[in-house]
Amino acid sequence: MTHAELARPSRKLRVRTLWISDVHLGTRDCQAEHLSHFLKGYQADRIYLVGDIIDGWKLRGGIYWPQAHTNVIRRLLTMSKRGTEVIYVTGNHDEFLRRYSKLILGNIQLVDEAEHLTADGRRLLVIHGDQFDVITRYHRWLAFLGDRAYEFTLVLNRWLNHWRARYGYGYWSLSAYLKHKVKGAVNFISDFEDAIAHECTKRGFQGVVCGHIHHAEIRKVGEVEYLNCGDWVESCTALIEHWDGQIELYRFADAQAREAAKRLAELGELA
């Protein structure tokens, strides 16, 4: 049984809203199979795709598009066909779609930002977040350079975790470690969170759902509820709104561990 199969819920769970971001379809490090299994496990009234779903930057240099990436698109279209409202919020890696903002195709909308009202009445700004990244906005060449450096850490991740798996160790993210340990990266994340929270306060929102920095988190930044979807490249995370308005941070690794423990317990009862 694969890891993805272990992490899949046994039946569809009905929820109010799903948010996913930074899938980066079209790149080798996209965890498309895990995302497909995640989406199969939920029935949602609305799903927000919070930017960088398709990596237009990478596709300019050559096409990489395996069947697993097509399966993600098919899964989203199937959800839309069955009644889920799909709102695609553009990001910097799929900025080529921004020229088509406000496009509506059946249950699918393409926008640059959105407003979400939770079940308990909170107004949330839904935006990718690159607009609040000084490097992306004003130093584009540095953004491309940083993207290449990030790709290099992901290559190291692949090799490192290949050998960790061979020796029985679990997944460990080098890039996530660097984000927590390198002072410049920590300061960048903090500045990003402060900037986006300030914009929410100025515009009268109680919170923000964003992506961009591949760092999943739910926390208060001042009086603003800051919710970052994370990514489906290394951490495999998403946000889920339940029917009472509570928003949960989903982590694939945690779901995988819970399902494995449950199956071991079931086998123990049968023994």
Side-chain angles (χ1 to χ4, degrees):
M1 182 170 292
T2 67
H3 287 172
E5 288 171 335
L6 283 173
R8 180 174 54 189
S10 57
R11 61 180 181 275
K12 286 185 183 294
L13 178 64
R14 188 137 189 271
V15 296
R16 191 166 186 263
T17 315
L18 296 174
W19 289 271
I20 61 172
S21 73
D22 296 274
V23 179
H24 293 275
L25 294 170
T27 67
R28 294 185 183 278
D29 292 290
C30 169
Q31 302 290 332
E33 291 183 0
H34 295 335
L35 177 56
S36 290
H37 283 286
F38 166 72
L39 292 172
K40 285 179 184 177
Y42 292 88
Q43 179 184 346
D45 279 7
R46 180 178 291 121
I47 180 168
Y48 290 92
L49 309 175
V50 193
D52 287 3
I53 305 303
I54 300 171
D55 197 321
W57 290 12
K58 193 67 175 177
L59 289 174
R60 289 173 192 165
I63 301 297
Y64 174 79
W65 196 275
Q67 183 62 43
H69 294 204
T70 298
N71 292 343
V72 170
I73 301 295
R74 291 179 62 185
R75 174 54 48 187
L76 292 168
L77 291 174
T78 298
M79 293 175 75
S80 171
K81 182 180 178 181
R82 292 176 179 172
T84 298
E85 183 181 6
V86 179
I87 301 174
Y88 192 132
V89 180
T90 57
N92 54 308
H93 280 256
D94 45 23
E95 63 188 351
F96 64 92
L97 293 173
R98 285 179 172 164
R99 70 186 72 176
Y100 308 111
S101 292
K102 300 184 180 177
L103 177 67
I104 299 175
L105 297 171
N107 259 357
I108 303 174
Q109 299 178 49
L110 185 66
V111 297
D112 291 334
E113 64 176 60
E115 176 181 331
H116 178 77
L117 189 65
T118 64
D120 55 359
R122 289 168 292 153
R123 290 179 62 236
L124 304 180
L125 173 65
V126 183
I127 193 166
H128 180 64
D130 59 289
Q131 301 89 335
F132 304 94
D133 178 348
V134 174
I135 293 175
T136 298
R137 289 191 66 183
Y138 302 112
H139 304 285
R140 194 172 177 82
W141 68 274
L142 272 178
F144 279 105
L145 185 62
D147 192 56
R148 296 295 177 268
Y150 179 62
E151 286 178 10
F152 178 68
T153 64
L154 291 178
V155 171
L156 292 180
N157 261 350
R158 284 204 300 268
W159 282 101
L160 176 63
N161 283 288
H162 168 76
W163 289 105
R164 285 177 63 87
R166 289 197 63 174
Y167 287 99
Y169 294 98
Y171 179 81
W172 181 80
S173 174
L174 172 64
S175 52
Y177 173 81
L178 293 175
K179 285 176 190 174
H180 284 92
K181 295 297 182 181
V182 177
K183 183 178 179 182
V186 173
N187 290 342
F188 169 79
I189 291 172
S190 178
D191 291 345
F192 173 84
E193 292 171 347
D194 289 343
I196 206 166
H198 175 74
E199 179 70 11
C200 286
T201 301
K202 186 171 70 174
R203 294 171 58 179
F205 289 99
Q206 282 79 54
V208 60
V209 178
C210 60
H212 186 57
I213 60 173
H214 294 208
H215 184 68
E217 193 166 20
I218 296 179
R219 74 181 188 93
K220 280 280 192 177
V221 179
E223 296 301 313
V224 173
E225 187 176 11
Y226 172 85
L227 305 107
N228 194 300
C229 306
D231 66 277
W232 287 86
V233 173
E234 48 179 314
S235 61
C236 297
T237 52
L239 296 171
I240 303 170
E241 181 191 6
H242 298 284
W243 293 101
D244 59 357
Q246 177 189 354
I247 298 178
E248 168 197 358
L249 176 57
Y250 168 94
R251 296 184 183 276
F252 172 79
D254 293 344
Q256 179 186 43
R258 285 194 300 270
E259 286 299 312
K262 180 180 176 182
R263 291 181 185 279
L264 284 173
E266 290 172 350
L267 289 173
E269 291 176 0
L270 292 172

